Amino acid sequence: MQPATAKWYDRRDSVFVEFCVEDSKDVKVHFDKSKFDFSCITGTDKIKQQNTVELFGEIDPKGSKHRRTDRSVLCCLRKAEAGKSWPRLTKDKSKCNWLSVDFNNWKDWEDDSEEDLSSFDKFSEMMNTMGGDDIPDLDGAEEEHDSADNDDEKMPDLE
């Protein structure tokens, strides 16, 4: 028996854990308020994989679910307290060698306030309305620069 490799990421109301197990059979996931258990048999070698995860925060076991595909098992853990970010998946700060952050799906959602988004929209609108009419004509300066810096000159030999 060995732990399955997994990736996780945080969202406003859920935490997602994807166990990277190909051709899994006999998948069992059991959700508790403060932990969850995962087990399956994988591949042609029929390797038994098992993980027990003591969670950083509490989840709603009835609202949590999992989905099996040919390549992985994705678990959606419904947070008991939505809107609270999890800095890590596990209760303990110690590093689990089978667990990593899923940076492809990670998003710093707690920084996304309506005020920040509206100020960003105002900034984007301002940038779009700025025309190129105010930019000075640099063509003459560019030509002077080109004649002073001639790339056709032979470089001295290195010693």
Side-chain angles (χ1 to χ4, degrees), residues 57-70:
E58 291 189 353
I59 61 169
D60 174 13
K62 292 181 178 163
S64 301
K65 54 190 178 247
H66 73 280
R67 185 183 78 219
R68 182 201 164 280
T69 66
D70 289 340

Side-chain angles (χ1 to χ4, degrees), residues 3-7 17 19 51-53 89-90 96-100:
T5 302
K7 300 182 292 187
V17 181
F19 291 97
N51 301 64
T52 298
V53 183
L89 178 66
T90 59
C96 300
N97 60 357
W98 54 267
L99 182 64
S100 64

Side-chain angles (χ1 to χ4, degrees), residues 46 54 56 65 104 125 135:
K46 299 190 187 238
E54 296 284 334
F56 173 81
K65 54 190 178 247
N104 291 334
E125 184 179 332
I135 299 173

Side-chain angles (χ1 to χ4, degrees), residues 28-63:
K28 293 182 182 140
V29 181
H30 178 73
F31 300 107
D32 280 330
K33 199 163 74 166
S34 61
K35 72 174 188 170
F36 80 102
D37 297 302
F38 168 81
S39 66
C40 71
I41 297 171
T42 61
T44 56
D45 298 338
K46 299 190 187 238
I47 298 170
K48 174 121 170 119
Q49 307 215 329
Q50 182 174 359
N51 301 64
T52 298
V53 183
E54 296 284 334
L55 298 168
F56 173 81
E58 291 189 353
I59 61 169
D60 174 13
K62 292 181 178 163

